[in-house]
Structure formats: C-alpha cells, structure tokens
Amino acid sequence: MNIVLGITGGIAAYKAPDLVRRLKERGGDVQIVMTASAAEFVTDTALQAVSGRPVRSNLWDKEAERAMSHIELARWADVILIAPATAEVMARIVSGGAPDLLTTICLATEAPIAVAPAMNHVMWSNPATQANRKVLEERGIHILGPGVGSQACGETGAGRMLEPDTIAAAVFDLGVGKGEGLLTGKKVVITAGPTREPIDPVRYITNRSSGKMGYAMARAAAAQGADVILISGPVSLPEPPGIEVRKVVTAADMFDATHECIGDADIFVAAAAVADYRPADMKKQKIKKNEESMSIDLVRCPDILASVAALDVGPFTVGFAAETEKVDDYARSKLEKKALDMIIANRVGDDCGFDSDDNSVNVLWADGEQRFAEASKTELAHDLIELVARRFYAARGTDTQPRLTVIANTD
Ligand code: PMT
C-alpha cells in the first residue's frame, strides 16, 4: 500500500518514526510529507532513515517536484494519513486552502484520507475544532481517535494521538477494505471490549479490556471477506471502516445486541471481557460515604457465549478464556462446559493480555490445539481468523480451498 504520511506540528510528531516502522511492517511504502512546524519536533534525517525515502516538505522544491510532483504524489497514494493532525491542518482541509505541499496533496487526491488528531484537550473540545471534525467526517475523511489520557501539557483529557500500532492497523484496513477470502459470504459476529455495570449514577464495575483484540479480530474477518458485526463495549478505538459496529455498555446490553443479530450468523467470536457479576440494583442517587465500610450485593450477569453455544441452530462458536494461572486447563474446562467449538486461551496479567498491543495465545478445540507465539494483536488476529475459518469449514463438512487475500495494490 502506498501511504503518504503527513506529519504536522504537534508534540506527538516525536512518535512518527515508530508509526513509519509500524506501517512498513504491514507492507506499507511510506512517503513522508512534513509541514514546516513538524520540523520543530522531529528531524527529516530520522524520518528519511526509517522510511527509506527523501522527506518532502516544500511545494516549491524544484528538484523534488521533478522526481515526483505534488499531483503525482496525490495519484501515487492509496491512502493519505495525517498523524499527528493539528487543529490547524483540520481547519485548512475543511476550508479547501492549499498553502503547503500536504494540503495541496489532500486537495488533489482521490485516495481515502485519514487523520489522527493530536492536540490539547481544550483545543479538541473547542466548538470550532468539533465543527471541523464533523465536516471532515461528513466528507468521508476518517478520523482516527483521538485517545483519552495524560497529555504533554500536563493535563488530562481527549486529544492524545492514538498509539502508532493502532493507527497503522486502522490505516492498513482502510486501504484493504473488505477483502475477498476464506470468509466471503459468511456473517461473523464478534464481541469486544469491556462492559460497565453501574453501581450508582457516577460509578461502575469494569475491567482493563481495551477492545484491541476484538477489534483486530473484526478487521481480520472483514479482510477475509466476511460481513462483520462488531458488538463493542466502551472503548476509545476508532470504528473499523466497512464493519457494522453496535455500541453497548452493560453485559445485559451486549447479550441483547448479540441475540438480535446472531440468528443468521455463521461464526460467533466472543473476545469481550464481559462482567461476570453486576450490582443487584443500581442506586438512583450517588452513594454517600457515611459508613466506615460498605458492601455491594452482586448478581450473575447472563453468559452471552454459553447462551449462543446453546442455541438449537447456532453459529460456529469461539470463546476466549482470559486466565492468570493454569491457562490451558481452565480454558479446556470452559470449552467443554460451555460446549464451544473452539476456545482461545489467553494468559492475562499486569503485563500481558489486557490493553497491550501484543498477545500470545493457545487455541484449543475438542481434538486439537495450536499455539501462537507473541505477535501484535493485528497480526495474531489474521492467523486466528484463518484458523477459525478452517475449523468452521471442517466442522460443517464443507472443505474449502483456501484463497489468498489480496492486500496489495495490483497496478
Ligand atoms: O481488549 P484487550 O485489551 O485487547 O484484551 C483482550 C482480552 C484479554 C480481553 C481478550 O483477548 C480476552 O481474553 N477476552 C475474554 C475475556 C474474558 O472475559 O474471559 P473469561 O475467561 O472471563 O470469559 C470466557 C468467555 O466467556 C469469553 O469469551 C467471554 O467473552 C465470555 N463471556 C464471559 C462472561 C459473560 N457474562 N458472557 C460471556 O460471553
């Protein structure tokens, strides 16, 4: 995939070399276009070294324009990614102004454009920026993030640039779109992320799931040609293009959303970290701290995975098992107890499984298993979906010839 990476002047530009590396790892050919203010945060020497191409920054550079003019660059790109994208560049694209090379390319291209905003949270929530975001979205420009968290200015809020691996995965999927592959014509329902079980209007019980694994599974299934419905708990990941996303909050919401669309599904993958228990009743008002100690009555949440596996005519059902010890033993016992077709045993802890970019798993089914070494969740998901597809066809007794998913530009 030919990627024009536009880097604008925000502190998150220091992550640009890592982003280039992540894009290249996925097979991207990256041409960097920097604005003048980006050069205040990262050097073109570093960027040229990681991208393997001279960095472009000047619309009036006769030498560079001779080699590849701004129009050629606009045509060469399969996707234009701007990361970090400042409030200023978003405003310029909205206005149609083209005072520099990057905005000129944006105006001259027919390729999809994605922007990963990065700015102070007050700038992000400013009505002008939000109005620009809305216009960009209406014009089909993909907005990746921003994430929420601590910022370089010392404040906390929405405005952090998403992590390079998350951006690279989203961009790669933009270019790939919905592929042709092992799952063409099949419907795949996937749950992802945590659930939130309210205690009172301001507090809830949740867990550390980021949704990265489930979203990666959804993108991988779409890349194999599946029609994917992604049922997502509250996460701060961009919605994967070409995938129907249903946002839910509680385990009960996720249960309902799953059963609304599972009827004609071929495959169900439960990657969500669903609460096992919820408060018996949500207090209508904020609980006051009058007592030295307090307890909350918890009741069991519905088990979505087990309920799907128990359907008379149900999909091929794949669970995850997040365990901190005896991972394979507990996973196999869940496989049997819930009568699943497959289970993906996932060691989790302080430093693995939840909220990391990488993962390693062992997949178990009735008479076999396959171990997957540590890899990025994106790469791992592609391998897992391929295995799920093969086991699905084997279980249905319809062997299928594996076809290659075409992810490269063919011109
Ligand atoms: O989201 P990330 O930060 O990327 O982290 C990924 C992950 C660690 C959350 C993911 O890889 C994972 O392991 N997901 C399953 C988490 C989990 O809840 O495991 P469990 O062993 O508690 O549950 C077993 C299975 O039952 C899971 O498929 C779960 O989705 C499902 N379940 C559990 C409870 C419930 N009420 N309903 C369910 O469907």
Side-chain angles (χ1 to χ4, degrees):
M1 193 197 304
N2 294 340
I3 303 164
V4 166
L5 172 60
I7 303 173
T8 65
I11 180 67
Y14 83 90
K15 293 182 179 174
D18 189 24
L19 176 57
V20 175
R21 201 172 59 82
R22 303 283 181 158
L23 293 167
K24 285 179 68 97
E25 272 172 8
R26 288 177 172 76
D29 195 354
V30 182
Q31 171 62 59
I32 292 166
V33 176
M34 262 168 109
T35 63
S37 42
E40 300 288 328
F41 298 95
V42 62
T43 67
D44 59 356
T45 318
L47 292 167
Q48 178 164 329
V50 282
S51 70
R53 286 169 166 273
V55 172
R56 297 284 304 273
S57 49
N58 187 353
L59 186 54
W60 311 113
D61 180 340
K62 290 197 178 57
E63 276 309 301
E65 281 286 299
R66 237 196 303 277
M68 187 152 19
S69 76
H70 57 281
I71 297 295
E72 277 166 317
L73 269 177
R75 289 191 189 134
W76 172 84
D78 293 315
V79 59
I80 314 275
L81 166 66
I82 306 181
T86 56
E88 163 68 10
V89 81
M90 289 172 66
R92 272 205 220 150
I93 298 172
V94 166
S95 73
D100 57 20
L101 181 59
L102 180 58
T103 43
T104 306
I105 291 171
C106 288
L107 211 52
T109 193
E110 289 179 336
I113 300 177
V115 300
M119 64 196 77
N120 167 272
H121 67 103
V122 181
M123 291 172 76
W124 173 247
S125 59
N126 186 293
T129 311
Q130 287 306 309
N132 289 337
R133 174 193 60 78
K134 194 159 173 281
V135 173
L136 293 177
E137 277 176 338
E138 283 164 2
R139 291 184 193 163
I141 291 178
H142 303 274
I143 311 286
L144 310 178
V148 180
S150 60
Q151 301 202 282
C153 54
E155 294 172 5
T156 302
R160 273 172 70 96
M161 189 173 86
L162 294 177
E163 289 308 313
D165 194 55
T166 307
I167 296 175
V171 166
F172 198 71
D173 289 340
L174 284 184
V176 171
K178 195 160 151 263
E180 276 282 311
L182 287 169
L183 294 173
T184 299
K186 300 291 175 236
K187 176 174 168 183
V188 178
V189 176
I190 296 176
T191 63
T195 62
R196 284 181 186 167
E197 310 302 327
I199 298 170
D200 68 14
V202 294
R203 303 176 176 102
Y204 50 78
I205 297 174
T206 191
N207 59 66
R208 289 176 42 221
S209 170
S210 62
K212 287 178 190 169
M213 192 69 241
Y215 274 54
M217 294 294 281
R219 292 193 304 265
Q224 285 290 2
D227 292 322
V228 180
I229 298 184
L230 175 61
I231 301 171
S232 171
V235 297
S236 53
L237 298 176
E239 289 192 9
I243 290 176
E244 181 180 337
V245 182
R246 300 197 183 178
K247 293 274 178 79
V248 297
V249 177
T250 64
D253 296 341
M254 193 174 270
F255 182 94
D256 291 345
T258 302
H259 282 278
E260 270 165 30
C261 58
I262 207 71
D264 57 349
D266 298 287
I267 296 173
F268 176 59
V269 180
V274 188
D276 291 321
Y277 293 91
R278 65 172 172 81
D281 65 323
M282 179 191 143
K283 301 292 178 219
K284 295 268 178 303
Q285 306 301 333
K286 183 181 167 199
I287 300 170
K288 308 302 291 177
K289 56 170 189 290
N290 297 329
E291 310 296 335
E292 270 315 300
S293 67
M294 67 169 287
S295 56
I296 299 171
D297 276 342
L298 300 176
V299 292
R300 283 286 285 270
C301 292
D303 192 315
I304 303 165
L305 178 62
S307 72
V308 171
L311 291 172
D312 284 342
V313 185
F316 185 84
T317 303
V318 183
F320 271 76
E323 304 291 351
T324 54
E325 57 170 348
K326 298 182 191 159
V327 180
D328 286 357
D329 291 349
Y330 286 143
R332 195 164 281 284
S333 124
K334 282 179 185 169
L335 175 78
E336 286 160 12
K337 269 201 205 131
K338 298 194 189 189
L340 309 176
D341 294 297
M342 291 174 89
I343 195 149
I344 300 170
N346 196 172
R347 178 176 293 282
V348 294
D350 285 348
D351 56 349
C352 59
F354 284 97
D355 198 20
S356 56
D357 288 334
D358 302 328
N359 203 3
S360 64
V361 297
N362 190 26
V363 186
L364 309 170
W365 58 96
D367 54 359
E369 66 180 278
Q370 188 170 336
R371 198 167 287 280
F372 290 84
E374 180 153 334
S376 75
K377 285 181 177 170
T378 302
E379 285 169 60
L380 185 61
H382 283 284
D383 293 342
L384 289 173
I385 284 292
E386 194 173 324
L387 176 62
V388 167
R390 291 185 196 289
R391 297 298 315 155
F392 161 73
Y393 288 115
R396 294 287 187 268
T398 49
D399 220 5
T400 182
Q401 272 306 103
R403 278 174 288 163
L404 282 179
T405 303
V406 178
I407 53 175
N409 195 349
T410 50
D411 63 14

